[in-house]
Amino acid sequence: MVAQAGGPKNGTVRVGQTNLCIPEEYAVQLPSEGENGDSNFDTSAGFGINFRIDEKEVGTEIPNYHEKLYVAEDNPRFQSIYVKLSPAQNNLEVDKPKQSKPLPSAPELILSEPQREPWQLREVLQKDDDDYRKWGYCTETSWGGEDALRCMREYLEIGEVRFAYELHEENLPYHSHVDRLLEEKVASWRCDR
């Protein structure tokens, strides 16, 4: 499926054949395969469109959200939310993991695998009572000499679309707020509104 410019609402980009029309100021159009003449160029595995919410908007909507983090004193990393879109798979429940470790900054999220090596990508599950659902992945990074987790929220599904975004450990406590922000955006970005 390819994003279609100018869906039913002016100034929007329709996401494939879904009922999601992203305002142009948020939309990030991805190149089609071979569009640049290089067959090795990365292309979208989803709809050909993603979107970005500026860190200032996220900080306004989510109190205490860290809009920027510093690698060094004079080297900020802005924490906008870049959202990758792909078709939903609706198969997110998993069995209880044999080993797990809650994340200190978000105890409802658990690392389901023991760490074997530094920088290893580790699966994260969300625990809700006795149910476990796929949440995403985390890896350790070293910014400014301190180890921290950098996580990809890979399994947020709203309707027929899967949303994936990255969060640094300092913003992990706000992951459910980011999910709600995205749910609100999706509700307001329906093509038929």
Side-chain angles (χ1 to χ4, degrees), residues 122-192:
R122 299 172 68 193
E123 183 177 43
V124 176
L125 303 176
Q126 185 164 0
K127 186 177 187 300
D128 184 23
D129 295 324
D130 291 328
D131 295 327
Y132 294 84
R133 294 177 60 80
K134 294 178 182 180
W135 184 88
Y137 300 92
C138 289
T139 189
E140 287 186 356
T141 95
S142 184
W143 278 5
E146 294 183 27
D147 287 341
L149 289 175
R150 192 168 168 182
C151 300
M152 177 61 80
R153 169 68 159 123
E154 189 74 33
Y155 299 105
L156 173 62
E157 295 190 351
I158 305 170
E160 57 198 321
V161 180
R162 175 179 284 181
F163 299 77
Y165 61 88
E166 188 176 309
L167 282 178
H168 191 273
E169 185 170 13
E170 290 188 45
N171 283 321
L172 272 178
Y174 312 111
H175 73 92
S176 61
H177 299 277
V178 174
D179 286 358
R180 266 193 304 281
L181 175 63
L182 295 177
E183 289 166 356
E184 290 167 5
K185 293 283 187 200
V186 168
S188 69
W189 292 349
R190 292 176 52 90
C191 299
D192 57 6

Side-chain angles (χ1 to χ4, degrees), residues 3 13 15 20-30 44 47-54 57-58 80-86 156 158 161-166 178-189:
V13 179
V15 177
L20 180 59
C21 286
I22 299 172
E24 289 176 347
E25 64 266 23
Y26 291 91
V28 177
Q29 194 82 37
L30 302 175
S44 170
F47 297 105
I49 183 110
N50 291 335
F51 68 90
R52 179 182 171 276
I53 304 173
D54 181 85
E57 181 178 351
V58 178
S80 61
I81 301 291
Y82 181 83
V83 183
K84 298 187 304 183
L85 304 175
S86 60
L156 173 62
I158 305 170
V161 180
R162 175 179 284 181
F163 299 77
Y165 61 88
E166 188 176 309
V178 174
D179 286 358
R180 266 193 304 281
L181 175 63
L182 295 177
E183 289 166 356
E184 290 167 5
K185 293 283 187 200
V186 168
S188 69
W189 292 349

